[in-house]
Amino acid sequence: MPTKTRPVIGVIGNAYRIENRFSVQAVGENNLRAVAEVANALPMMFAGTPDITDIGQVLDLVDGILLTGARANVHPTRFGMEAHARHEPYDNGRDAVALSMIEACVARGVPIFGICRGLQEMNVAFGGSLHPEIREIPGRINHRMPRLENGEIHPDPAVVFADRHDVHLTSNGTFASLLGRETITVNSLHGQGIDIPGERVVIEGIAEDGTIEAIRIADAPSFALGVQWHAEYDPQINPINRTLFQAFGEAVAARRQRGAFTAAAAPLSAGMR
């Protein structure tokens, strides 16, 4: 009897340099644990480097894709704006992989979940634009992570990832239906945010100051949701984030089951010809 295996979720890597010498691809462990412990899937990191990552082959190997948050901003030329040194760093390799992968996932019906930068990539992939500094828009709050008086990032993760503001969800929308409520409270660790929504981007959650916080891709054949907050931080204990990762995991498991059924049926169909 075949051994039952967990579905596989591909987790995109980010470009980093160690000791300012060694180029690496890295993924935050919280993302991997959220996939393994809450979505009940096997996390598999793949490189956000287009010349060594075959998107089609990755999608043949996985049952879903997680687009994580990251330090780097999406490059402004991806949505018709000019780059500026104060909005660095950028990760052109990840841009190239992520934007193409999003389109491929939606076309193939591969479940996809975008977090922070991942939500922004989903918007850009469908023709939308981003604002490089949400806090500079009149009436908006500072969505960046908390800092000490000397400008350094606060050393306590509990402070950095603490709930910061409410998000109002679309009545009867996908998020409200999943979460069973129309107002949630989330963390906030981003500078960039959605400016103009993409063609197929449906807004389902908005912060108190008007910042877009939750989206879905219209007419996607499977799970295709994005959130601006860092849902990977605490889904083991946070009921909002846990529900989202569990729903993602269920969509991924369902896709794997369909694939297994198709594979099992193929030899029978061939023999009946």
Side-chain angles (χ1 to χ4, degrees):
M1 191 140 180
T3 302
K4 184 177 180 181
T5 58
R6 290 185 295 169
V8 178
I9 293 177
V11 186
I12 195 166
N14 301 287
Y16 283 94
R17 288 186 70 82
I18 295 177
E19 298 177 0
N20 203 31
R21 291 186 295 165
F22 305 110
S23 296
V24 302
Q25 288 282 306
V27 170
E29 188 172 321
N30 282 343
N31 295 285
L32 304 177
R33 289 192 172 278
V35 166
E37 298 172 0
V38 186
N40 194 29
L42 178 69
M44 184 186 78
M45 194 196 96
F46 61 92
T49 309
D51 58 331
I52 62 173
T53 299
D54 185 308
I55 292 171
Q57 190 170 3
V58 170
L59 294 184
D60 287 342
L61 294 171
V62 305
D63 305 293
I65 291 291
L66 178 65
L67 298 175
T68 69
R71 172 71 182 88
N73 284 326
V74 178
H75 202 282
T77 56
R78 295 285 181 177
F79 44 91
M81 294 180 66
E82 293 185 6
H84 194 288
R86 70 191 184 97
H87 299 140
E88 295 176 352
Y90 299 119
D91 188 344
N92 289 299
R94 169 160 168 167
D95 291 347
V97 173
L99 298 183
S100 295
M101 183 161 277
I102 290 163
E103 294 181 278
C105 282
V106 173
R108 287 194 184 196
V110 177
I112 186 167
F113 187 21
I115 292 177
C116 197
R117 189 190 212 267
L119 166 139
Q120 297 163 10
E121 290 165 334
M122 292 172 76
N123 187 58
V124 173
F126 288 98
S129 64
L130 307 174
H131 193 287
E133 279 291 355
I134 290 294
R135 61 181 173 171
E136 294 179 355
I137 300 175
R140 300 291 181 94
I141 65 172
N142 183 359
H143 286 260
R144 288 189 175 275
M145 64 178 66
R147 293 178 178 270
L148 301 173
E149 290 184 4
N150 63 6
E152 294 181 0
I153 296 171
H154 200 288
D156 186 351
V159 173
V160 172
F161 289 92
D163 288 343
R164 297 265 303 279
H165 61 73
D166 287 347
V167 172
H168 302 289
L169 304 174
T170 301
S171 179
N172 298 316
T174 300
F175 280 89
S177 297
L178 276 175
L179 300 173
R181 64 187 79 180
E182 294 183 5
T183 301
I184 59 176
T185 306
V186 302
N187 58 43
S188 188
L189 292 87
H190 65 103
Q192 192 167 248
I194 292 178
D195 184 13
I196 299 174
E199 184 177 351
R200 293 178 62 179
V201 173
V202 179
I203 301 167
E204 288 214 0
I206 301 177
E208 300 160 303
D209 66 347
T211 299
I212 296 170
E213 294 276 341
I215 64 171
R216 67 176 172 86
I217 304 302
D219 302 319
S222 186
F223 189 105
L225 304 182
V227 298
Q228 184 59 78
W229 67 92
H230 281 261
E232 85 286 357
Y233 173 64
D234 57 355
Q236 294 84 351
I237 59 173
N238 182 304
I240 300 298
N241 299 331
R242 180 172 64 246
T243 298
L244 292 174
F245 266 97
Q246 286 176 337
F248 180 42
E250 289 167 5
V252 168
R255 177 174 173 79
R256 183 175 184 84
Q257 187 173 22
R258 288 194 299 272
F261 177 80
T262 301
L268 177 62
S269 299
M272 291 174 64
R273 290 196 187 99

